[in-house]
Structure formats: C-alpha cells, structure tokens
Amino acid sequence: MHHALLIDEVLQLIFDYCAAEPIAESRRTFYQLARCCKAWKDPALDRLWARIDSSSPLLSLLPCADDKGMPASDIDPVFTSYARRVKEITYRDAQKPTSADSLEMVLPRLQAVTISHDGCYVPSSWKFSPHLKHISMNAGLFHTPERLEAAKCNSAEDLLKRIHVPSLRSLRFRGCLTSALSGMFASFTHLTDLTLHTHILECETFAAIATFPNLRSLTTSANGIRDQELDLALAQKTAPCFPALESLDLGGQVALLKVLFSYMPDHKLTRFRMAADCYCLGSTFFERFVEQLVQKTSRSLRELTIQDLTEYLWLEPPMRGQLPPEWFGLSLLHPLAACKELRKLELTLMIPPSISDTDVETLGKWWPHLEDLNLGTYELCYLPPEWRFLMTPRVFEVVATHLPRLQQLTLPVRPTDLLTSDERPTFSSELKHKTLRALAIGDVSNAAACASELVQAIVAIFPSLDILDCPAQEITEQFAVLTGSA
C-alpha cells in the first residue's frame, strides 16, 4: 500500500469521491473497502452506515425485548458502535419493541430523519439527537384531524416536543394538524426551511411562521385563510413579516396574497410559486397582484411559477365564446418586464396562455438571460376540438434568436406541424439553438409513423438537446437511439 493512503486527509478525499457515486454502487464500494484492511475499516464503515433506508440493519444486531423489556445496560456494544455511525435514516414501517427503546437516544449522531405512515409509531428515542438538522414526516393526509389516528398523532407530538434543538434547520410535514401540532409548528422560530402540506392551516399558525427571523424557504397552502383574517393577524405582530424569506411556494386566494405581500420586505424574494384558486371570469383578477409583485421583487426575483387549474368548461359563457379566450396574455405579464433578474418563468395552466410567436419574441427582449421557459404543451384532452393554438413551429426560430441562453423549454406547439412544409422553420447554422438541454412537447398522434422524422427535425433545431420529454414512448425511444443516450 502506498504511504499516501495512510494519510487520513488523503483517504477521506478518496472516500468522499466514492460517496458521490450512485447509492447502490457506493455502498458496494464501501463494503469492499471495509474488508480490505484495518486502516480503512472504520472510515469505510462510517460512510457505509451514514445513510440507511430503514432500521432493519440495526435491529438485526439486537435481541427482541421480552414482555418486561431489557435494561439498556444489556445492549451489545457492537450495536452501539454501529448506531453511532448513522447520520440519516428512513422509517416507513413500525418496528417490534427492542431493548434499545428504553434508551434516551439510540442514534446519537443522527442529523436527518425521514418518517412516513407507520414509521410514525417508531419510538422517538430512535428519531432524536442533539445534532438533528432535517426532519421529514408524512403522517398521511386526512380530511379532518378527527380521523388522524391517536397513536400517530401522539407520536408526532412527542417527537416535536423533543426536537427543539438549535441545530434543527429544516422541517417538512404532511398530514392533518391538530391544535396541539399547530402550536408546536408555530414555536420552531429557528428554522430556515419549512414545508407544511396539510388540509387546513390555522391563520394564527401562519402569522406566527411569518415572524420566523431566519426562515429562507416556505412551502404551504393558505387556502383556508381569509384575507381579512390574515391582515388582522399580521397587523398585531410586532416582528417583521418574513424578514429573511427568499423562496415562497404558496397556495391561496389572490386577495390573500395581496395582503401578505403588503407586509413583506422589498426585493428579498428570489423564487415565488403561487397556486391560485380557479377563476371562471378570466385571468384579469391577477393584474393588480402582478403589479404588486413587481413592486416587491423587481430587483430580486429569479424564478416565477404560476399555477391555475381552471378548466375551459368552468369558464363563464362570455369567456367560452372566445376561442381561444384571453388567458394569461402578454398584457397581463407586461409588468414583469421590470424583473430583469428573471431566469425562470413557468405557467402551469389547464387553459393555454394567450401568447403567440411574436409575443415570445417580446419575452426574449424582456428577459434575454432567461434559462427556463415553460408555457405548457399542446394538449387537446381538456379543450374543444376546434381550439386554435396561437403558436406555430416558427416560434423555435424566435427562441433561437431572442432566447439564446435557454436550457429548458416547454411550449404549446403541435409537434407534427414541424413536419409540414408550410410550418417547418428553416434554420441556418448560425440560428441553431446551442444551449438548450431539455425540451418538453405534447402528445403525438400516430407517433410510430412519424417518430424518426419528427425527432430528426427537433435535433436539427436543438443539436445540444440531452432530454426530450414526450408522452409518446416512440418519440423518446427514437430520440435515445438518435442521440446515443439509450
């Protein structure tokens, strides 16, 4: 063995490189390294056991407890030595009682724990350490807290009581919130990342979260909160509203978003995703909020995603009389032109946006550094057969000319139009887009017959493409064959 491999710093760098491989491959590597020599055994085992997908490997080192339970002093030292190596663990199932359950703390160096469904029943001593940084808990979604199983609820409350440690930074929870759980979440003021997927979030809980001084990322839904209620709750707070927030993923009424943004600091938010309520009278409801959003984020916003799941058949008759109706058109988006730092724009809509080839050229003039543009794909399943899409394949020429830095692209263009002589764009070598890595297109009818020709046309336009996303399997398979990615 070379003497350099006995230098701990060098060995750690090599092992770090091995750890960057896919999980199955890196585990196999560390298993072999641990058996190679005594000098490598401990550092290899540290990495092999640092992240485990269940408690089964540890349970295999323990005898099951009898009816009275075994004292902690009878636990095998081998178990303790391996338990100290674990930094990340996942619990999906309940486990039988063991002698380790009586310990105050089973995994003393645990940093991240993922808990789902019956894994909530695992004793909290297996899920806690003073070094805990990340917790993800899925207790299952129910319509009312009353249907939340008492044991699972108690387990969640017991764990949350114990994890008030200064090291905790990230907390993710999916399930129904009882009043007790809501109060606990409101007390984690030291968090930097919080995700709450729950049926109903109480207004007081949301208002308390808004005062967390170090919170940089929040994902939740405020659909059950009225705008007047939130306004009153925030007005009563003396602490600033989301003083450090950089990423916000929020569902709720536009009126509530207006209230919230009126309290938030200027030019702090860099990423915003909103899931708006459905509006059957048209998208003009959004205009004033866009103006307010620009006032608050014009110098900071880099990523904007707008989700609206209004379907065409839900529109009021005056709106349905237009094919296509005016829906998230250029005039509504115009205030966003002031957001010069924007790098991603995504419109997740059931009704295609009212944006044409020429409008995409305007978007390119507003944001020449845009890297991700997603305006949806060509889908007729939710639309009347006579629907007229505003974009043609000529838009790809516009993209190549005015959005040269795009890396990901999704547009509502009928893919097969690329094969017709009157719609096919003509590209010189100078106009070909050389940075696009991922393209999503809509479904293709009779894909087997046109897959080869269509994929060749797409690759001719975007020669740097690595990913072609299409519901038709024939298209993705042909792309893999043509590009050698199969």
Side-chain angles (χ1 to χ4, degrees), residues 157-221:
E157 292 179 10
D158 181 48
L159 178 60
L160 292 177
K161 288 176 183 177
R162 300 190 64 181
I163 62 176
H164 270 281
V165 290
S167 60
L168 190 65
R169 291 293 177 265
S170 173
L171 177 58
R172 300 183 179 186
F173 179 85
R174 179 182 293 272
C176 283
L177 293 183
T178 61
S179 297
L181 283 174
S182 294
M184 290 179 184
F185 283 118
S187 65
F188 285 93
T189 58
H190 51 288
L191 291 176
T192 60
D193 182 355
L194 176 61
T195 297
L196 290 176
H197 293 293
T198 182
H199 183 59
I200 296 178
L201 182 65
E202 295 179 358
C203 181
E204 282 303 319
T205 301
F206 184 84
I209 292 171
T211 64
F212 287 5
N214 302 313
L215 192 66
R216 292 199 296 267
S217 177
L218 174 65
T219 299
T220 191
S221 173

Side-chain angles (χ1 to χ4, degrees), residues 191-326:
L191 291 176
T192 60
D193 182 355
L194 176 61
T195 297
L196 290 176
H197 293 293
T198 182
H199 183 59
I200 296 178
L201 182 65
E202 295 179 358
C203 181
E204 282 303 319
T205 301
F206 184 84
I209 292 171
T211 64
F212 287 5
N214 302 313
L215 192 66
R216 292 199 296 267
S217 177
L218 174 65
T219 299
T220 191
S221 173
N223 281 316
I225 302 176
R226 294 182 293 108
D227 54 312
Q228 302 96 329
E229 184 183 13
L230 180 63
D231 192 9
L232 179 61
L234 292 178
Q236 294 174 345
K237 301 292 182 181
T238 57
C241 179
F242 292 122
L245 197 67
E246 298 173 357
S247 176
L248 177 61
D249 188 335
L250 186 64
Q253 298 179 356
V254 172
L256 179 136
L257 295 175
K258 291 179 181 178
V259 169
L260 177 61
F261 271 75
S262 68
Y263 285 90
M264 291 177 61
D266 295 344
H267 311 299
K268 194 76 177 180
L269 205 63
T270 61
R271 177 187 172 274
F272 178 50
R273 180 185 181 277
M274 65 165 291
D277 285 350
C278 300
Y279 287 84
C280 303
L281 295 174
S283 60
T284 54
F285 71 92
F286 194 63
E287 289 179 355
R288 290 188 179 180
F289 176 67
V290 170
E291 296 173 357
Q292 184 183 22
L293 176 65
V294 170
Q295 291 175 359
K296 288 288 184 177
T297 65
S298 61
R299 297 201 300 269
S300 62
L301 193 65
R302 295 180 64 86
E303 298 183 18
L304 174 62
T305 300
I306 301 170
Q307 174 183 299
D308 184 287
L309 300 183
T310 304
E311 295 188 22
Y312 172 75
L313 293 178
W314 299 350
L315 296 177
E316 295 295 328
M319 289 290 296
R320 291 204 304 270
Q322 310 172 46
L323 280 179
E326 180 64 26

